[in-house]
Amino acid sequence: MQDQLMNAFERVRDFVLKHKKLSIGVCVALVVLLVWYTISIFYTYTDYTIKNDLSMEDSEGSAYESFHNNNIVKYNSDGAFYIKKNGDLIWNEAYDMSSPGIDISNDYVALYDRGGTTVFVMNDTGKKGTVSTSRPILTACVADNGSVAALMNQQDVSYLEISDIEGELIASGELHVENSGIPIDIAFSRDGKKLAVSSVSVKSGTLQTVIAFYDFSSSGQKREDNLVGNYSFADMVMPQIKYMSNGNLIAFGDGEIAIFNDSFEPKLKKEIFPKGTIDSIVYNDDHFGYVGSETNDEGITLKKMHVYGESGWEKLDKAIDDSYTLIYMLENDDVVMLTDKTAVIHGISGVKKFDGEFEGSIVKILYSGGYKDYIFIQNGMMQEVRLR
């Protein structure tokens, strides 16, 4: 091995000696490339070049989400459209919903009507199934196999139903207020075998959140009602819960963020307590975080953004001064902050990548596949852009 290394070293030395000018040129090019790359990743862009420009007729209340290779799902009360970045239509699904909701997994989109009883399950080629629930839907989730979990309510009783992609009922149950409180959110695991329910109740005059865990695998069927665990948080409301890509469950509360591990009987793995407030939360499948106010050692109150990996390790602690009415995290881990006519994009590295103003209203920013490539959606317009 030592002889081979020495031989390789001598060959490199001989090449450099024979091609000094070429070697110097390569080194200079590498330095220039390194400088350009360093500047580009730490630079805040305020303008952009339009790669594709598409006019659209927007219905009131239209919303947009990324799905499958950075294509776009547009949905409203009249139907849903799945389009490519250049505007080419892939599929459309007409329906009549008073309050449309959406949930997206890796391969499926669930479109449902809050207060209705129908869920359309779509993939990248079109509709693959329809799920009909027995009662009005509060919220619904879709798994990577296309199965759907729905939380429903009727006459002060909450119900859970899990159905496969063809609409066949897999499991169901009732949740009575006097026993488990009022359910406010559910989370469905990617494999469709685990369901978590966050409920709020008042016991002995004290508000608490109870997170219940259900397992619908063969092991979970051995437990009564498939219940494999629950955990209570006193004086706490946890209105949002989510399963991450590694199987951990994240519970977002008004005073803490809790992480439960991926096990048959989930255990509380970590609690994150903010130094100040939790004003807004952001998340995707691999990261989560929050924005809140906190006071430093000098007594100065700052707005801070914190971002964590799916196991709870902090990756970003940054003071910001940006205003927003809408905040969310893209699949590339960027955090987008929007007002009616301004947009800011923060990278997970801590760099403010974009800070721009628009003449018209900016509705949504989506990721388009490159470090500087995004989709800007404004009223009546969709643009694929590159920051500059």
Side-chain angles (χ1 to χ4, degrees):
M1 177 63 71
Q2 184 176 2
D3 292 341
Q4 291 176 336
L5 290 174
M6 289 299 297
N7 183 46
F9 175 78
E10 291 172 357
R11 291 172 62 184
V12 172
R13 182 194 60 191
D14 291 343
F15 179 85
V16 172
L17 291 175
K18 290 181 180 179
H19 305 279
K20 286 184 178 179
K21 292 183 178 180
L22 176 62
S23 300
I24 293 173
V26 170
C27 291
V28 171
L30 289 174
V31 170
V32 170
L33 182 63
L34 179 61
V35 171
W36 171 84
Y37 175 75
T38 302
I39 292 175
S40 68
I41 64 173
F42 288 101
Y43 185 74
T44 299
Y45 299 92
T46 57
D47 203 354
Y48 53 90
T49 300
I50 299 173
K51 299 168 66 177
N52 284 305
D53 195 346
L54 175 68
S55 297
M56 298 186 301
E57 293 185 5
D58 269 347
S59 301
E60 185 177 353
S62 291
Y64 302 83
E65 298 293 343
S66 292
F67 175 60
H68 211 270
N69 297 323
N70 307 123
N71 295 322
I72 302 107
V73 177
K74 170 189 171 183
Y75 66 100
N76 52 46
S77 59
D78 299 319
F81 303 83
Y82 182 45
I83 57 179
K84 294 182 180 180
K85 294 181 288 187
N86 63 5
D88 289 347
L89 179 67
I90 302 174
W91 54 252
N92 69 289
E93 182 68 28
Y95 51 68
D96 183 14
M97 296 185 181
S98 59
S99 180
I102 191 171
D103 189 61
I104 297 176
S105 69
N106 282 333
D107 298 316
Y108 291 97
V109 175
L111 295 158
Y112 62 94
D113 192 10
R114 300 180 186 92
T117 58
T118 301
V119 183
F120 296 105
V121 182
M122 320 290 293
N123 71 357
D124 61 331
T125 62
K127 186 165 69 176
K128 292 300 174 184
T130 301
V131 174
S132 296
T133 62
S134 60
R135 294 167 180 87
I137 299 169
L138 293 176
T139 188
C141 302
V142 65
D144 286 351
N145 60 3
S147 57
V148 171
L151 173 64
M152 302 160 293
N153 182 267
Q154 192 173 54
Q155 297 179 348
D156 297 326
V157 179
S158 296
Y159 302 85
L160 291 170
E161 288 183 355
I162 297 179
S163 305
D164 65 21
I165 194 171
E166 296 176 350
E168 295 296 323
L169 190 65
I170 298 173
S172 63
E174 297 182 7
L175 301 172
H176 294 270
V177 173
E178 61 271 19
N179 297 327
S180 55
I182 302 173
I184 53 177
D185 197 24
I186 61 173
F188 205 20
S189 64
R190 298 167 72 101
D191 61 6
K193 295 181 179 180
K194 298 177 181 179
L195 182 72
V197 181
S198 178
S199 301
V200 175
S201 66
V202 177
K203 295 288 180 77
S204 301
T206 301
L207 179 73
Q208 69 173 0
T209 292
V210 176
I211 298 180
F213 295 89
Y214 299 88
D215 190 302
F216 298 97
S217 66
S218 57
S219 298
Q221 291 175 8
K222 300 175 184 178
R223 296 293 185 90
E224 183 178 358
D225 297 327
N226 297 89
L227 182 66
V228 295
N230 56 60
Y231 198 94
S232 299
F233 295 86
D235 196 25
M236 181 77 62
V237 177
M238 291 188 157
Q240 283 187 266
I241 54 178
K242 176 178 173 56
Y243 277 105
M244 307 298 283
S245 61
N246 66 351
N248 286 347
L249 181 92
I250 312 297
F252 299 95
D254 54 358
E256 73 168 277
I257 299 175
I259 305 173
F260 293 86
N261 66 359
D262 180 21
S263 62
F264 177 66
E265 295 180 345
K267 299 294 189 298
L268 184 61
K269 178 179 180 180
K270 189 171 185 177
E271 292 178 280
I272 298 171
F273 296 98
K275 297 178 181 178
T277 61
I278 298 178
D279 299 330
S280 304
I281 63 169
V282 295
Y283 56 82
N284 58 20
D285 287 338
D286 303 305
H287 292 87
F288 65 90
Y290 72 92
V291 173
S293 298
E294 54 190 71
T295 303
N296 63 17
D297 295 337
E298 287 74 38
I300 300 173
T301 300
L302 302 171
K303 185 191 296 184
K304 299 289 288 290
M305 178 167 64
H306 299 265
V307 177
Y308 303 83
E310 55 193 348
S311 295
W313 297 106
E314 189 171 49
K315 294 191 174 183
L316 179 64
D317 177 351
K318 178 184 180 181
I320 61 173
D321 57 3
D322 308 295
S323 299
Y324 61 88
T325 54
L326 176 63
I327 182 172
Y328 56 95
M329 181 178 283
L330 299 175
E331 58 264 44
N332 70 333
D333 305 324
D334 286 347
V335 175
V336 177
M337 300 177 178
L338 302 179
T339 67
D340 181 41
K341 294 185 178 181
T342 66
V344 174
I345 302 174
H346 288 277
I348 196 173
S349 63
V351 175
K352 182 186 289 188
K353 296 173 65 174
F354 179 72
D355 192 345
E357 295 187 13
F358 300 83
E359 292 183 3
S361 296
I362 179 73
V363 177
K364 197 75 179 276
I365 290 179
L366 302 174
Y367 180 56
S368 186
Y371 178 78
K372 298 191 294 181
D373 297 330
Y374 298 87
I375 295 168
F376 287 176
I377 299 173
Q378 304 178 62
N379 285 337
M381 184 187 311
M382 184 176 75
Q383 296 173 327
E384 185 183 6
V385 307
R386 172 162 290 181
L387 305 183
R388 65 178 177 85

